[in-house]
Amino acid sequence: MSQRIPVTELTSGFRDRAEVALADGQLRTNFRTAMDSLMKKRADAFPDEEEREGLRELGNRIKARALSRLPDLLEQLETKLTDNGVKVHWAETTEQANEIVHGIIQARQGSQVVKGKSMVSEEMGMNDYLAERGVECLESDMGEYIVQLDGEKPSHIIMPAIHKNRHQVARLFHDKLGVEETDDVNELIQIGRRTLRRKFMEADVGVSGVNFAIAETGTLLLVENEGNGRMSTTAPPVHIAVTGIEKVVENLRDVVPLLSLLTRSALGQPITTYVNMISGPRKADELDGPEEVHLVLLDNGRSGAFADAQMRQTLNCIRCGACMNHCPVYTRVGGHTYGEVYPGPIGKIVTPHMVGLHQVPDHPSASSLCGACGEVCPVKIPIPELLQRLRQENVKSPAEGPKVKDGGAKYSRKERLVWRFWRTLNASPGLYRLFLWSATRFRKLTPKNVGPWTENHTAPVPAKRSLHDLAREHLARNGGQ
């Protein structure tokens, strides 16, 4: 079976990929239709504005409190899980995490893995890593299964195949699985499920993500709608959960509002179909469940974000995808344009800590700063504010020192000169007045092409009269009042 295209194989830049996406009418239609539906569902799920904002504030406080105690909570989580019979592993990098997972599979002489939805496993590139070592890793989430079958990577953190419509999925199943082509969504789902059910029983190891890890009880909590996650964690003899260190929360009480925020923000649901709480392997008197449970806690740049008081807020994210659903840029170019695991607004502030700002210098600027992402974030991450911070980091000189991993990405010399002129102009009242006087009197000489922005916009033309001139006339007519 074909695997996803690794991010490292992408050779074109963000701008080039965006041009390709913008020229794809079907892609834009698919995203527009999906985003309109998701935005409406979220709005319907929060009919009471006061209740919504109170819940968001509570969610923000819960995550902030957990992050303020992150080292202690992680130690408590490890102790409780170990007491419950779960083996806890720590990984600083994705390479270390993959080595741990592969080592567990090797110890069981496993060759087949069935995997529930997990964004951290996407960070790790787990499927490709295991495939190179002779281990088949099959996605059990229907959306993930579809993109895996097509040799792609997810384009959304909640709905991986949102860039495809049912006709495209029907053709894919016909080409890859040899089934009769049908546009009936229920039949398409059944086709996928028939394949996956066999794999659940044949798999040596099941892999899952973690939505919340509860330190107080040593519990791994997963939410899902399909039941595949429960099968991945229960049917195989070994369950490996992989998660980022930021997913830990203090107690079960904290999970209740976070669950409500997650499901309502992501899909407009009051709760998901399945809420799974895993606290250990199968006990002697139990009939089902895995013989072994492992948890891999991954850093991958998160400690760098944690060490920065402002950027720490990125770790509040509960992976609902609401910021993507409301982002005008993401809706038009889609998730694959970003070329990284996490697309959209949250990806633009998370990815720099994982791969280095120099690898994604265009991401912080791929935003209109309309503020929609910050307004809908269920845990009130100030995404526009953090994007501005990253834009500043992007143009800092090496002497100023990067605040974000491998920061200090350079803009062109021309652009630096333009912004230096702008700063000088606005810091000198005399020079500013001279510029205004010249601009209003020679407005017809304003250049029509001032860079990429004017490829799709009309260049602004100065007003015939400046605000200062109008103010002076107003004061003169009103006796200085």
Side-chain angles (χ1 to χ4, degrees):
M1 178 176 290
S2 60
Q3 300 294 319
R4 289 178 185 72
I5 302 170
V7 170
T8 52
E9 288 187 8
L10 295 170
T11 55
S12 58
F14 178 89
R15 294 173 188 268
D16 294 331
R17 294 193 296 271
E19 288 182 9
V20 173
L22 290 170
D24 189 334
Q26 184 62 65
L27 181 72
R28 294 186 67 179
T29 299
N30 292 350
F31 270 99
R32 182 73 274 167
T33 302
M35 297 302 105
D36 286 347
S37 172
L38 289 168
M39 287 192 291
K40 183 180 185 305
K41 287 179 178 178
R42 178 192 175 274
D44 292 344
F46 290 105
D48 186 331
E49 181 180 355
E50 185 175 345
E51 185 258 353
R52 180 194 69 212
E53 292 308 306
L55 195 58
R56 289 179 69 218
E57 183 62 35
L58 178 59
N60 176 272
R61 290 202 304 269
I62 289 171
K63 287 295 293 180
R65 172 163 42 85
L67 287 174
S68 71
R69 299 188 55 221
L70 184 59
D72 293 337
L73 290 181
L74 287 170
E75 288 185 10
Q76 183 183 3
L77 176 68
E78 180 182 29
T79 300
K80 290 292 183 180
L81 284 170
T82 302
D83 291 343
N84 293 344
V86 177
K87 298 176 183 178
V88 179
H89 311 264
W90 300 82
E92 184 177 351
T93 65
T94 57
E95 181 67 24
Q96 291 175 3
N98 278 321
E99 289 174 358
I100 291 168
V101 171
H102 185 238
I104 297 169
I105 297 169
Q106 271 190 319
R108 298 286 302 204
Q109 297 182 332
S111 61
Q112 294 190 57
V113 172
V114 64
K115 183 156 76 69
K117 194 172 186 316
S118 164
M119 290 308 298
V120 168
S121 71
E122 296 291 343
E123 282 182 48
M124 295 163 58
M126 183 191 294
N127 291 10
D128 300 306
Y129 184 92
L130 294 179
E132 290 168 2
R133 289 154 181 80
V135 179
E136 179 190 18
C137 190
L138 182 70
E139 296 288 351
S140 64
D141 175 87
M142 188 57 63
E144 293 273 1
Y145 175 66
I146 289 168
V147 295
Q148 182 180 37
L149 199 62
D150 206 16
E152 295 181 328
K153 64 187 186 68
S155 60
H156 192 285
I157 64 175
I158 296 295
M159 292 148 289
I162 200 170
H163 56 289
K164 294 182 182 295
N165 59 32
R166 69 179 189 275
H167 307 293
Q168 292 169 314
V169 174
R171 287 195 296 272
L172 174 66
F173 279 11
H174 172 72
D175 295 341
K176 298 289 186 178
L177 302 178
V179 298
E180 184 177 346
E181 193 167 327
T182 174
D183 287 347
D184 184 272
V185 175
N186 289 328
E187 179 58 26
L188 290 171
I189 291 173
Q190 292 306 317
I191 290 170
R193 283 179 175 169
R194 283 194 287 271
T195 302
L196 294 171
R197 281 171 184 156
R198 292 194 305 271
K199 294 295 184 180
F200 287 132
M201 304 313 297
E202 297 170 358
D204 306 295
V205 174
V207 174
S208 77
V210 176
N211 290 100
F212 303 105
I214 298 101
E216 180 186 53
T217 56
T219 303
L220 308 179
L221 188 145
L222 295 76
V223 295
E224 49 156 333
N225 275 321
E226 298 177 17
N228 63 293
R230 183 165 290 185
M231 290 295 291
S232 299
T233 61
T234 304
V238 178
H239 169 215
I240 305 173
V242 293
T243 189
I245 58 175
E246 82 282 9
K247 291 297 184 69
V248 64
V249 294
E250 193 168 346
N251 51 53
L252 284 167
R253 188 170 53 253
D254 287 343
V255 170
V256 178
L258 291 176
L259 270 181
S260 179
L261 285 165
L262 172 59
T263 58
R264 291 159 80 182
S265 299
L267 297 169
Q269 296 177 259
I271 194 66
T272 55
T273 308
Y274 300 94
V275 178
N276 308 304
M277 302 177 73
I278 300 167
S279 296
R282 180 175 62 198
K283 294 181 174 60
D285 58 344
E286 293 177 335
L287 298 178
D288 57 16
E291 299 166 11
E292 296 179 20
V293 177
H294 298 260
L295 174 65
V296 180
L297 287 162
L298 176 65
D299 188 324
N300 194 28
R302 289 166 173 81
S303 292
F306 177 77
D308 186 303
Q310 185 180 24
M311 299 308 297
R312 180 184 297 184
Q313 296 172 95
T314 61
L315 302 181
N316 282 351
C317 180
I318 58 175
R319 303 294 191 264
C320 69
C323 61
M324 300 177 193
N325 303 341
H326 292 73
C327 175
V329 176
Y330 174 87
T331 300
R332 283 161 179 76
V333 302
H336 290 157
T337 298
Y338 295 83
E340 297 293 338
V341 173
Y342 297 101
I346 189 62
K348 287 180 280 193
I349 61 174
V350 166
T351 303
H353 292 292
M354 296 180 176
V355 304
L357 187 55
H358 68 296
Q359 296 281 12
V360 286
D362 289 328
H363 280 204
S365 298
S367 169
S368 64
L369 293 182
C370 65
C373 52
E375 290 175 4
V376 300
C377 176
V379 286
K380 304 187 74 170
I381 302 173
I383 299 177
E385 205 177 282
L386 299 180
L387 285 173
Q388 290 179 322
R389 159 72 185 279
L390 289 173
R391 290 182 182 189
Q392 294 167 6
E393 296 289 344
N394 230 350
V395 295
K396 282 185 175 180
S397 66
E400 293 175 282
K403 303 299 183 184
V404 179
K405 178 183 176 184
D406 296 322
K410 301 296 181 290
Y411 282 147
S412 67
R413 181 179 179 83
K414 178 181 177 182
E415 189 167 355
R416 282 179 170 276
L417 290 172
V418 168
W419 284 112
R420 194 167 295 166
F421 170 73
W422 182 89
R423 181 176 62 184
T424 304
L425 179 70
N426 283 271
S428 171
L431 190 59
Y432 182 78
R433 284 193 292 270
L434 176 63
F435 177 80
L436 279 183
W437 181 87
S438 303
T440 54
R441 281 150 185 81
F442 302 102
R443 53 197 300 271
K444 292 184 178 180
L445 300 179
T446 303
K448 299 296 186 290
N449 182 2
V450 289
W453 192 80
T454 51
E455 291 176 8
N456 301 297
H457 301 79
T458 302
V461 177
K464 292 181 181 180
R465 303 170 71 192
S466 71
L467 178 62
H468 287 179
D469 291 338
L470 294 173
R472 277 193 290 270
E473 287 188 14
H474 174 80
L475 291 171
R477 286 196 304 269
N478 293 277
Q481 298 297 316

